[in-house]
Amino acid sequence: MDGAPPPAGLSAYVAVSQLLGLTLLATTGAWLGRYRGGVAWHGHLQFNVHPLCMVLGMVFLQGDALLVYRVFRHEAKRSTKALHALLHGLALLIALVGIVAVFESHRSKGIPDMYSLHSWCGMAAFVLYLLQWLLGCGFFLLPRASFSLRSRYKPQHVFFGIALFALSITACLLGITEMLLFNISDSYSRFVPEGVLANTLGVLLVAFGLVVGYVLTRDDWKRPPLAEELALSMDFKTLTEGESPGSS
């Protein structure tokens, strides 16, 4: 029913996800500011743009984009789709800035690119995420595919959305470990403050991913289709498949 309250527990989990997301952003900023010298586009601090952008774009904004269909339950479907695509697009743009920053930083310091497991997983996550976004826009936001083709593709879109979110978090965890081993390998095992703070960031990333994943996988928390959406879907199927609403 339009305007019905959200299912019990959904609002609490969404609120927890946002609290965790903001906390992990603050923790990232604290780590880079307190122990890595801060963030700047030029000079030796350019590298620090990379972890900040990847956590903001590929984790926080991507997670929020995935939650759009759970949070906006009674708004028009097209508006919800547009917001979903916009947040994903913004996440991609911010992540691209982070990728450019790390390549430029490596070039200025003479460091080789794309040799570590972190870089492989991170680049795979970004490229597949871009492909997922383009396919999603083509199939759903600006649909040119038939109703049956869209219906067959939707489960793949949903699965890969969650899988790429998990891969993005994994890449961030690998990146945190890599930074710690490069910068404090001689003292990391002694529980120095920087290591503890970075480990805490890793735990926050996992917690954020688990909460978002739980919300997404609860079947009873899915966005219910509105009556007008069901009618529009039937009309679209009739136009694209040549079927009448009453055909079997």
Side-chain angles (χ1 to χ4, degrees):
M1 180 182 297
D2 292 359
L10 174 59
S11 296
Y13 273 91
V14 170
V16 169
S17 74
Q18 298 311 288
L19 179 61
L20 286 170
L22 293 173
T23 303
L24 72 86
L25 288 176
T27 305
T28 303
W31 178 27
L32 297 176
R34 176 67 178 83
Y35 296 103
R36 297 291 104 212
V39 175
W41 185 252
H42 298 289
H44 70 285
L45 297 179
Q46 186 178 29
F47 176 85
N48 293 344
V49 174
H50 176 69
L52 182 62
C53 285
M54 304 320 277
V55 170
L56 174 58
M58 295 295 287
V59 178
F60 182 62
L61 287 179
Q62 184 179 176
D64 276 5
L66 294 174
L67 291 175
V68 160
Y69 286 105
R70 301 297 188 271
V71 174
F72 299 99
R73 304 175 61 79
H74 307 292
E75 286 70 23
K77 185 68 172 289
R78 186 163 185 82
S79 299
T80 309
K81 284 182 181 180
L83 179 59
H84 179 72
L86 178 63
L87 287 175
H88 279 310
L90 182 59
L92 280 166
L93 182 61
I94 293 173
L96 179 60
V97 172
I99 290 174
V100 171
V102 74
F103 275 103
E104 288 196 359
S105 175
H106 281 182
R107 185 173 65 251
S108 66
K109 298 175 182 178
I111 299 174
D113 297 311
M114 299 300 301
Y115 66 88
S116 68
L117 180 59
H118 162 65
S119 62
W120 288 15
C121 290
M123 188 57 71
F126 178 79
V127 172
L128 293 174
Y129 187 32
L130 175 60
L131 180 61
Q132 167 90 343
W133 183 72
L134 292 173
L135 287 173
C137 288
F139 272 89
F140 303 115
L141 188 63
L142 302 171
R144 293 293 182 268
S146 68
F147 181 87
S148 61
L149 186 59
R150 288 168 60 196
S151 298
R152 289 196 296 271
Y153 174 67
K154 184 178 179 181
Q156 326 305 322
H157 184 73
V158 172
F159 168 78
F160 283 108
I162 297 175
L164 288 172
F165 180 57
L167 179 58
S168 298
I169 292 176
T170 301
C172 286
L173 295 175
L174 290 171
I176 291 171
T177 302
E178 190 173 289
M179 280 186 67
L180 291 174
L181 293 178
F182 281 162
N183 292 297
I184 60 168
S185 59
D186 57 339
S187 59
Y188 185 26
S189 62
R190 296 198 294 271
F191 294 93
V192 293
E194 180 178 359
V196 173
L197 182 62
N199 286 351
T200 301
L201 173 59
V203 172
L204 288 170
L205 285 165
V206 172
F208 179 72
L210 290 175
V211 173
V212 171
Y214 180 73
V215 173
L216 294 175
T217 54
R218 279 283 298 263
D219 286 338
D220 55 330
W221 287 356
K222 289 183 178 179
R223 182 184 189 273
L226 305 180
E228 58 268 26
E229 293 171 10
L230 293 174
L232 286 172
S233 294
M234 184 59 70
D235 290 342
F236 182 80
K237 181 176 181 181
T238 300
L239 289 171
T240 57
E241 301 292 330
E243 300 176 358
S244 64
S247 64
S248 58

